[in-house]
Amino acid sequence: MSSSGSQAGHVPGRAPAGQPVTGAPVLPLDTSEDVRVRAAGADVQVAVLPVGSYEQHGPYLPLATDTLVACAIAREVAAAYPVHLLPPVTVSCSHEHAAWPGTVSVSATTLYAVVRDMAASLRRSGVEALVVVNGHGGNYVLGNVVQEATAEGHRTALFPAAEDWDAARERAGVETSLLSDMHAGEMETSILLHCHPELVRPGHETTDLLADDRRHLLSLGMSAYTGSGVIGRPSLATAGKGKELLAGLVEAFGAYFSVVTSTAPDAGGVTPPS
């Protein structure tokens, strides 16, 4: 299975590699036969699980923004690599956003158990590797899930890392730093302008707010730092930046694909490809 090969043919519910995913459904539309065909001849089967959230994203982005972003990344990855695209986890750990109506959370223990159970179920059906695509920064527990699964000898990865976002940001010409672009800012708004422009309401042009010193965020929540729920510069967002952000992340995914398919985590001395 080549790390750079694309899927043969077009699977319903997925945009062809390199083409916009605008209007693509959030849920994958694979049949069992699609999964069987994709798995044929694969040395290691890989599943990609988008994990989002259901939390406030200011007055102009939907509560499901993190889920939509995670799904957009996962769809683009699935168009470029032979992976099984899973439906998203749509509610996660958004406790810091509880001051805003509409936000819904589950405990870190629950999210941990859901992802672990899904990984175990996949292994029972012959899918050995799982890459979790995280769309919400507050899902800290996902790092623990991957650490523990890898220590147990399972092929697991968490994507994207901060370094992947930073490289994609530079490629796309995003002006706001990763520190400043914390929530509903330039990057998230750009991705939605590219993938789901019909969901972006007026207001992002005039809602910029920077709050780089957030050292008490876990204790005080987001409301201590922003009245609108926004931290970042969404006024700089464009659909073109969103397209390039996704392209950069798809390129970065190649190293993760190689890690989970070429070397078993329990073999020791895993060296990610350069």
Side-chain angles (χ1 to χ4, degrees):
M1 188 184 292
S2 169
S3 63
S4 60
S6 15
Q7 297 171 340
H10 173 57
V11 177
R14 298 187 181 182
Q19 295 186 17
V21 294
T22 303
V26 173
L27 294 178
L29 301 179
D30 282 348
T31 66
S32 292
E33 186 60 25
D34 294 328
V35 175
R36 185 177 292 110
V37 169
R38 192 180 307 112
D43 294 329
V44 177
Q45 295 187 57
V46 181
V48 171
L49 173 65
V51 179
S53 71
Y54 199 74
E55 65 187 35
Q56 70 84 18
H57 274 78
Y60 51 85
L61 295 182
L63 292 159
T65 290
D66 287 345
T67 298
L68 294 169
V69 169
C71 286
I73 297 168
R75 282 198 307 269
E76 292 278 7
V77 163
Y81 299 88
V83 299
H84 303 303
L85 179 60
L86 299 175
V89 176
T90 57
V91 177
S92 61
C93 302
S94 301
H95 312 283
E96 70 273 26
H97 298 275
W100 283 270
T103 297
V104 182
S105 291
V106 296
S107 69
T109 303
T110 297
L111 182 59
Y112 174 97
V114 167
V115 176
R116 292 272 295 188
D117 284 356
M118 293 179 72
S121 177
L122 287 163
R123 290 193 296 272
R124 287 193 293 271
S125 66
V127 181
E128 301 172 59
L130 176 65
V131 180
V132 179
V133 176
N134 183 31
H136 172 49
N139 289 336
Y140 310 112
V141 70
L142 294 178
N144 299 119
V145 172
V146 171
Q147 284 178 321
E148 293 176 20
T150 301
E152 293 166 2
H154 304 307
R155 301 169 183 261
T156 318
L158 182 61
F159 178 78
E163 294 85 352
D164 303 316
W165 276 114
D166 207 30
R169 183 186 64 81
E170 292 185 19
R171 169 180 176 147
V174 170
E175 299 178 43
T176 317
S177 70
L178 284 178
L179 174 64
S180 298
D181 200 57
M182 187 259 189
H183 192 69
E186 186 177 0
M187 290 193 294
E188 287 186 319
T189 306
S190 290
I191 291 175
L192 259 67
L193 284 172
H194 170 57
C195 298
H196 299 283
E198 73 282 0
L199 301 181
V200 181
R201 300 186 185 185
H204 68 278
E205 307 89 346
T206 57
T207 321
D208 290 4
L209 185 145
L210 297 181
D212 287 356
D213 186 348
R214 303 184 297 270
R215 70 187 71 188
H216 302 299
L217 176 66
L218 296 181
S219 299
L220 301 177
M222 283 282 290
S223 60
Y225 298 94
T226 171
S228 66
V230 177
I231 296 179
R233 295 194 290 175
S235 67
L236 301 176
T238 68
K241 291 177 182 178
K243 179 179 180 180
E244 288 302 312
L245 281 165
L246 292 176
L249 292 175
V250 170
E251 183 176 330
F253 185 81
Y256 294 79
F257 187 87
S258 295
V259 166
V260 298
T261 58
S262 64
T263 307
D266 60 349
V270 176
T271 302
S274 59

